[in-house]
Amino acid sequence: MRTTKFGIAGIALTAALALTACAGGEPDNGTVKLQMVESLTNPARTDVIRGLLDDFEAENPGITVELVSPPTDQADQKIQQMLQSGTGIDVLEVRDITVGPFSTNGWLYDMTDDLQGWSGWDDLTDNAISQTTYAEDGKTYSIPYGFYGLSLFYRTDLVEEAGFDAAPTSWDDLLEQASAIQDPEKNRFGYAFRGGSNANSNVVAIITSYAADKINVDNAFELTGGGTVFSTPEAAAAVKTYFEIFKKASPPSSVAWGYPEMVEGFSNGSTAFLLQDPEVIAAIQQSSSLTEEQWSTAPLLVGASGKAAQPVSSGGWGIAKATKHPEESLKLIKFLSEGDAPITFAKENSLVPILKSAADDEFYKVGAWESYLYMTEHPDVYIPVTQPRTVSWWTEWAQKADTEIQQVLIGKMTEAEMLASWDQYWTEKWATK
Amino acid sequence: MGNEVALRRGDSASPRRRVFSGRHGWTIAAFLAPAAVFVGLFIYYPMISGSQMAFRNWNLNNLTDTSWVGFKNFQAIFENPDFGTILSNSIVWVVASIVPQFLIGFAIALWLRRKFRFRGLYQALIFFPWAISGFLIGILFRWMFNSEFGVINDLLSKVGLIDQPIPWLADPSTAMVAVIVANVWYGVTFFTIMILAALQSVPDEMYEAAALDGSSKPRMLFSITIPTIRTTLALTVLLRVIWIFNFPDIIYAMTGGGPANQTQIFTTWMVTTTQRGDYGQASAIGLLVIGVLFVFAAFYLLAMREKKEVQS
Amino acid sequence: MINHESATARTIKFVFLGLWLVITLFPLYWIVITSFKEAGAIFSYPLTYWPTTFSIDNYVELFAKADFGVYLGNSILVSTVAASVSTLIAMLSAYVLARFSFRSKGAILMAFLATQMIPAFIALGPLYLLMVNLGLVDNKIGLMLIYIAVCIPFSTVMLRGFFANVPDALEEAAMIDGLSRLGALFRVLVPVMKPGIVAAFIFNFVNCWNELFLSVTLMNRDENKTIPTALNGFISSFNIDWSSMSAAAVLTIVPTMVLFAFASRYIVQGLTAGAVKG
């Protein structure tokens, strides 16, 4: 009978523990505990944020901040669950693709009034200031922590070997150089093509660059004269070049490549070109297959227009509407957005920073960052454009576009059909809005 | 002897001994109570409460209007042009995974029944795939099947089976093969453990008697082993069908359902639908999955029961 | 005993078993090797099947940088409690479902079976709210309770199958000898059914051990996280940290392998001939 008793005792104990757990609560000793949730989690980034929070706590003795760092793949779902339940979040990461849904559902705290007269405004770059306003309703739900932007990572040695004296500057150059370098026999490939998850981002980058003269910079999918960019002859020319690059100069398996495979393909030395965000810099610097002299970055490729549309994408920090501590939360947001904190965060995560002062920072003038500086200094060629990433259907669009790109890659759809389908999609979305 | 398969309603057919006859309502209720409380509170209540999403306009991207829409979400599923592909992928995924899992698992269990040196060690080693999560298996195999840097192509070319790397996950004709290979690798263990445990209930005397009668080995397999552990076999297959059908992890991590939906099954479809925020439609897919599996389970159990009645 | 296995049969058997061992172990080998490679060496081409230098940096870092020891402890605690309690509860329900005939039995069985068909995400929203109301979010006990509930149905269905293989004369005799029903169940049936119970426990343990979705949703603080959360933490949207992850994976697999090694003895222990004759 011992086993039985043990078992029953076990169940009873569990139940009792469960009940006592209900009684627990926050210690009430005057300190405020904030819960902050990040979503683009990785261990190194978590360490950086934790460090900043420690500084914040030191400056504000009455406040402690608990950082919640869910694995990035599951983070959005968890955050939605928490926001929906109205518990557990004070401060959170708000990205351009989540601000739409979160604010529509009334989950985000509007900081517009609280930030009036905030001293930090003067230090922000124009880009950063424009990102603080959510276009749909003109309110401020978040302050950006940094920007992503594309540049071309390339292998200086392979380009030279193939007889070229400089990195490609246009998509046509890329096609030419990548085709020359491609040699599958030696396991050497031209371009780290993206056919898997988020394939749409690079396709759109080339299309908007080809049609750079025609697009609305505040909504890169729209033409200044109305209609979608996908209906233009420039778009057709762009995808033709782009899929040529796949056929002639990319690894066959790149139909399925997402971010890790692309970065891996470049950093292990088998592919010569990679179009990516600055975050990759750190990953490649750690690679033992490539030495410092073997690679560099070049500005984003220009299209047939001679210009490139640089998609500005960002993330930031915001406050949950359900927070019980809006004042303390605001303090934290301000702390993260002024002084040293935003610079530290941007540097450690390889992001384009939000403060003007960074322009004088040596860090951003050398090595892989040079090309970013160059692009910032030539905004007439490298036009910063905003994609409609804040619309609530963005993820739906991304999924649809990714699937159709794969269909083109495996020959189940033509390029023209794909563009027509995209044109129709956005035309309908805009009409019903 | 108690060889009946799961759902026999009121099996009064077998003669009941004294301790099982008469009124035992309270005993039955008391024994079932703990399970009922847990399952009711933490599984059925949230599930039923959550299913209403399937009949509402429930989109996380905009929860300001969550009105009831009847069967609209279900209609959208059936009208999706990829529905046919997803249906056939799901069937291929289940059948092509379970048949090798069953055969290999059964064979290993039979062979492990007899003692040999290092059997314990062998067992512990081959059980290990079950110890890894489906998601991890998925990303591990995604790298192994990578055409340029993957170890599988590297090995195949070293052995001389291929002279050009196969883009496993990028080619629609091989992507399904790759995900199924990963799943078979993972799932054999379950069959081995279950069958091995069940084989312990087959008394050696039965084999000895059959051997005296001059029965051949294959004959013993079909006349003794299989009938004796039928309950377990039937149950194991049923559970595996349900689980595999319901198991997006490996495919999701390896191909995300691609290329171009060629490895999309119902549950990965549900996951991707969730990701774009359409919880209404995703729940509808979920309920559809439950419905399909429920009907399958009912027919399966019915068939098993009839087969048994024919035999006895 | 039937001990005349032919030479050919033996050869086939061992060739097959050997082949399967190689197939099974290769991915494990690959993870282990990767975990001992120096940072960066993972990405070298051509592939190296045997690293020139073994480095334990990845493991050291796991414990230094991440609270891996804490996660490991949490996983062991949560999985052991949940697997034990659920196996115990399931034994009770499986027993009556195997031994008694009553009207709603079919429906109850089907209700257990049907839980296996439910995709977790449908239930997630209401479950989360329930846990918020119970004050059990970010609480190990909360996670245990849910894991117990999740494990019960499968173990009930499975154990019922094993109960059905054991003749009911056994506990009848024990009860006639004066034991209570519970006494008969635990004193007479449990020893006979050890292989099945051990198997059920293992499956429950492993299911809890690997569960990611609920754990991520319910746990916030590092001190409450379980191993799968930590493993997935090495995958960022931009990169997979293969070095740390493979080291973590190896450490994740070790406890379950020890469990398997320990338990497999019981699984193949077999029954004493006398106990089974029904």
Side-chain angles (χ1 to χ4, degrees):
Chain A
M1 288 300 286
R2 256 220 314 265
T3 343
T4 328
K5 277 190 192 133
F6 180 71
I8 291 168
I11 298 168
L13 184 71
T14 321
L17 284 172
L19 287 173
T20 47
C22 304
E26 262 182 72
D28 190 22
N29 52 3
T31 49
V32 169
K33 198 177 89 184
L34 295 179
Q35 195 135 298
M36 172 171 169
V37 191
E38 59 170 330
S39 63
L40 293 176
T41 316
N42 73 59
R45 185 187 200 252
T46 303
D47 285 347
V48 174
I49 300 178
R50 189 62 255 176
L52 295 176
L53 293 179
D54 290 343
D55 295 345
F56 175 74
E57 287 175 350
E59 265 179 41
N60 300 275
I63 311 174
T64 59
V65 189
E66 194 171 278
L67 178 64
V68 179
S69 311
T72 186
D73 254 357
Q74 288 79 28
D76 283 342
Q77 200 156 20
K78 179 181 168 85
I79 291 172
Q80 285 159 359
Q81 213 63 254
M82 295 173 97
L83 288 170
Q84 214 172 352
S85 77
T87 59
I89 302 190
D90 298 296
V91 174
L92 74 158
E93 183 167 3
V94 180
R95 282 136 57 211
D96 49 9
I97 60 169
T98 52
V99 66
F102 288 3
S103 63
T104 308
N105 294 337
W107 291 338
L108 297 180
Y109 179 87
D110 174 15
M111 300 189 271
T112 319
D113 296 339
D114 301 283
L115 288 177
Q116 292 221 344
W118 171 48
S119 57
W121 286 115
D122 297 339
D123 303 329
L124 296 181
T125 61
D126 292 347
N127 253 343
I129 292 174
S130 74
Q131 287 295 313
T132 56
T133 310
Y134 177 47
E136 301 292 313
D137 58 11
K139 291 175 178 167
T140 298
Y141 295 111
S142 70
I143 298 191
Y145 51 58
F147 294 92
Y148 304 91
L150 294 172
S151 70
L152 183 75
F153 294 78
Y154 72 101
R155 287 282 299 278
T156 44
D157 55 340
L158 293 182
V159 167
E160 203 183 304
E161 247 172 62
F164 300 97
D165 44 14
T169 55
S170 71
W171 283 96
D172 285 325
D173 289 349
L174 176 71
L175 174 58
E176 193 195 343
Q177 296 198 6
S179 310
I181 291 170
Q182 171 105 343
D183 186 357
E185 294 288 296
K186 287 194 203 150
N187 218 5
R188 169 160 300 163
F189 304 93
Y191 178 65
F193 190 85
R194 181 167 213 168
S197 107
N198 257 328
N200 67 84
S201 58
N202 288 356
V203 183
V204 171
I206 184 171
I207 290 175
T208 48
S209 290
Y210 270 62
D213 292 324
K214 290 179 159 184
I215 56 173
N216 173 358
V217 291
D218 294 322
N219 179 356
F221 287 13
E222 195 184 42
L223 301 171
T224 41
T228 79
V229 68
F230 307 115
S231 62
T232 57
E234 285 85 355
V239 293
K240 188 163 173 291
T241 309
Y242 190 66
F243 288 118
E244 281 282 294
I245 296 174
F246 170 71
K247 277 178 223 138
K248 290 189 179 157
S250 304
S253 73
S254 56
V255 174
W257 281 18
Y259 192 110
E261 285 89 353
M262 296 167 72
V263 176
E264 160 78 350
F266 186 81
S267 59
N268 72 11
S270 66
T271 40
F273 301 104
L274 168 74
L275 199 62
Q276 265 302 351
D277 291 324
E279 276 170 318
V280 176
I281 295 172
I284 302 173
Q285 278 168 346
Q286 280 167 13
S287 156
S288 64
S289 317
L290 295 181
T291 63
E292 196 93 3
E293 295 78 42
Q294 278 181 297
W295 66 280
S296 185
T297 64
L300 177 60
L301 301 159
V302 299
S305 62
K307 293 172 185 169
Q310 174 66 271
V312 179
S313 68
S314 71
W317 306 114
I319 302 174
K321 195 164 207 171
T323 180
K324 292 193 180 80
H325 312 291
E327 224 170 280
E328 289 80 3
S329 301
L330 260 162
K331 252 188 196 163
L332 177 55
I333 301 274
K334 286 179 185 169
F335 174 84
L336 291 172
S337 313
E338 60 188 351
D340 293 336
I343 300 282
T344 310
F345 185 82
K347 274 187 191 168
E348 298 283 339
N349 291 294
S350 295
L351 292 170
V352 179
I354 58 168
L355 300 188
K356 286 180 202 157
S357 58
D360 308 324
D361 198 321
E362 279 306 309
F363 180 85
Y364 288 105
K365 287 182 182 165
V366 293
W369 282 102
E370 250 178 305
S371 54
Y372 284 93
L373 195 67
Y374 183 82
M375 287 192 279
T376 330
E377 286 166 352
H378 297 85
D380 46 328
V381 181
Y382 303 97
I383 312 163
V385 299
T386 307
Q387 294 181 357
R389 291 168 63 88
T390 54
V391 295
S392 61
W393 58 84
W394 180 262
T395 42
E396 181 187 283
W397 147 253
Q399 271 183 18
K400 173 195 166 70
D402 285 358
T403 307
E404 291 180 355
I405 291 164
Q406 282 193 331
Q407 279 173 336
V408 174
L409 293 175
I410 64 174
K412 290 184 85 182
M413 193 185 242
T414 66
E415 292 162 10
E417 281 166 353
M418 181 187 86
L419 286 173
S421 153
W422 294 4
D423 176 48
Q424 192 195 354
Y425 180 86
W426 284 96
T427 309
E428 279 172 14
K429 285 291 182 192
W430 288 335
T432 55
K433 212 180 92 184
Chain B
M1 209 177 98
N3 245 347
E4 81 246 283
V5 176
L7 301 191
R8 286 191 70 186
R9 272 163 204 281
D11 30 352
S12 46
S14 48
R16 284 288 152 190
R17 296 183 172 85
R18 198 170 56 84
V19 295
F20 300 111
S21 58
R23 296 186 169 272
H24 291 285
W26 284 111
T27 313
I28 293 170
F31 275 51
L32 283 175
V37 169
F38 272 99
V39 174
L41 185 62
F42 293 112
I43 297 182
Y44 274 101
Y45 156 70
M47 183 247 159
I48 290 165
S49 169
S51 335
Q52 53 168 318
M53 291 187 294
F55 306 96
R56 299 176 78 160
N57 176 30
W58 199 283
N59 195 316
L60 278 219
N61 296 327
N62 187 348
L63 285 172
T64 48
D65 169 28
T66 52
S67 49
W68 295 86
V69 291
F71 287 89
K72 214 183 107 205
N73 286 322
F74 292 89
Q75 201 188 340
I77 298 172
F78 288 115
E79 282 170 0
N80 190 307
D82 295 317
F83 184 83
T85 316
I86 293 169
L87 179 66
S88 67
N89 285 344
S90 302
I91 295 170
V92 170
W93 164 247
V94 172
V95 175
S97 296
I98 205 157
V99 171
Q101 282 181 7
F102 179 83
L103 293 178
I104 300 173
F106 201 167
I108 292 176
L110 284 175
W111 281 326
L112 284 184
R113 195 173 178 266
R114 188 194 301 271
K115 232 188 163 87
F116 58 83
R117 213 131 75 98
F118 302 123
R119 181 180 69 166
L121 178 67
Y122 183 88
Q123 235 169 237
L125 289 176
I126 61 152
F127 282 176
F128 111 90
W130 196 259
I132 311 179
S133 72
F135 193 79
L136 189 57
I137 290 172
I139 52 173
L140 182 62
F141 273 81
R142 183 169 102 196
W143 275 109
M144 300 207 311
F145 274 113
N146 186 302
S147 97
E148 288 80 24
F149 334 111
V151 66
I152 289 178
N153 274 343
D154 198 58
L155 285 173
L156 287 178
S157 69
K158 276 206 170 84
V159 183
L161 281 174
I162 54 169
D163 49 4
Q164 238 178 358
I166 301 172
W168 290 99
L169 301 176
D171 187 333
S173 58
T174 51
M176 193 54 121
V177 176
V179 294
I180 287 172
V181 165
N183 195 25
V184 169
W185 179 84
Y186 170 61
V188 164
T189 306
F190 183 75
F191 278 102
T192 309
I193 298 181
M194 284 292 272
I195 295 171
L196 203 52
L199 283 177
Q200 309 309 316
S201 62
V202 186
D204 281 341
E205 291 90 332
M206 287 173 83
Y207 293 109
E208 283 159 24
L212 288 179
D213 291 348
S215 286
S216 68
K217 283 215 133 175
R219 223 191 112 77
M220 281 192 243
L221 178 66
F222 287 102
S223 65
I224 301 172
T225 315
I226 292 178
T228 318
I229 61 167
R230 268 190 76 238
T231 322
T232 307
L233 288 182
L235 214 68
T236 313
V237 170
L238 179 61
L239 278 169
R240 278 309 279 161
V241 169
I242 294 174
W243 286 352
I244 293 175
F245 198 90
N246 233 333
F247 183 54
D249 308 31
I250 286 182
I251 296 186
Y252 181 71
M254 282 178 78
T255 66
N261 283 327
Q262 294 309 299
T263 55
Q264 194 82 278
I265 60 167
F266 279 110
T267 39
T268 55
W269 190 27
M270 192 178 72
V271 173
T272 50
T273 309
T274 324
Q275 282 170 340
R276 61 161 205 265
D278 197 339
Y279 276 38
Q281 218 182 89
S283 308
I285 299 172
L287 289 188
L288 185 73
V289 166
I290 298 175
V292 168
L293 287 174
F294 200 85
V295 170
F296 169 79
F299 273 105
Y300 179 86
L301 292 169
L302 210 66
M304 283 294 153
R305 184 170 128 193
E306 268 161 20
K307 210 165 132 201
K308 189 192 174 217
E309 272 160 13
V310 170
Q311 273 182 354
S312 52
Chain C
M1 278 291 289
I2 18 136
N3 227 344
H4 35 81
E5 208 170 17
S6 76
T8 350
R10 266 183 83 84
T11 315
I12 294 174
K13 167 176 157 179
F14 283 112
V15 166
F16 186 92
L17 287 179
L19 205 63
W20 185 252
L21 186 67
V22 171
I23 293 173
T24 308
L25 287 189
F26 186 76
L28 175 67
Y29 168 79
W30 205 237
I31 306 179
V32 173
I33 288 294
T34 307
S35 74
F36 285 112
K37 284 182 185 173
E38 280 170 334
I42 299 168
F43 297 144
S44 63
Y45 199 87
L47 302 177
T48 42
Y49 288 84
W50 190 252
T52 42
T53 49
F54 278 85
S55 147
I56 58 161
D57 292 355
N58 295 326
Y59 291 90
V60 174
E61 252 180 56
L62 268 189
F63 287 93
K65 254 170 51 181
D67 292 327
F68 201 76
V70 177
Y71 305 152
L72 201 66
N74 287 343
S75 273
I76 290 175
L77 176 71
V78 171
S79 308
T80 310
V81 172
S84 316
V85 177
S86 57
T87 308
L88 204 71
I89 293 178
M91 269 159 57
L92 300 178
S93 44
Y95 172 76
V96 290
L97 289 171
R99 286 293 188 257
F100 295 102
S101 44
F102 49 97
R103 228 185 9 204
S104 50
K105 187 165 119 177
I108 290 174
L109 264 167
M110 205 60 188
F112 277 122
L113 203 58
T115 59
Q116 303 301 300
M117 309 167 185
I118 302 171
F121 113 92
I122 289 188
L124 195 67
L127 187 64
Y128 188 80
L129 282 179
L130 178 72
M131 298 314 274
V132 168
N133 291 332
L134 292 174
L136 290 175
V137 171
D138 202 17
N139 183 318
K140 289 192 265 290
I141 292 166
L143 196 62
M144 285 176 198
L145 292 176
I146 296 184
Y147 282 179
I148 291 170
V150 169
C151 290
I152 286 173
F154 158 72
S155 5
T156 299
V157 171
M158 177 178 165
L159 285 173
R160 182 183 169 275
F162 285 111
F163 271 117
N165 291 343
V166 180
D168 51 16
L170 274 181
E171 78 257 33
E172 186 194 34
M175 285 173 72
I176 289 169
D177 287 349
L179 274 178
S180 72
R181 189 174 295 279
L182 267 183
L185 171 62
F186 284 98
R187 287 237 183 121
V188 183
L189 278 183
V190 167
V192 174
M193 281 181 46
K194 217 187 259 163
I197 293 169
V198 169
F201 175 83
I202 287 183
F203 285 132
N204 288 338
F205 184 90
V206 170
N207 281 342
C208 300
W209 187 258
N210 286 332
E211 204 287 324
L212 169 72
F213 196 51
L214 295 165
S215 175
V216 167
T217 310
L218 288 167
M219 298 313 210
N220 293 334
R221 282 172 300 174
D222 267 0
E223 64 190 76
N224 280 333
K225 282 181 183 166
T226 55
I227 284 185
T229 321
L231 268 179
N232 274 52
F234 296 119
I235 307 165
S236 68
S237 48
F238 307 113
N239 212 349
I240 297 179
D241 181 355
W242 281 99
S243 312
S244 311
M245 194 160 73
S246 44
V250 171
L251 291 179
T252 310
I253 295 165
V254 168
T256 29
M257 284 201 67
V258 171
L259 182 74
F260 278 154
F262 179 73
S264 64
R265 239 185 47 212
Y266 291 97
I267 292 183
V268 291
Q269 192 179 43
L271 303 167
T272 48
V276 114
K277 274 178 195 157

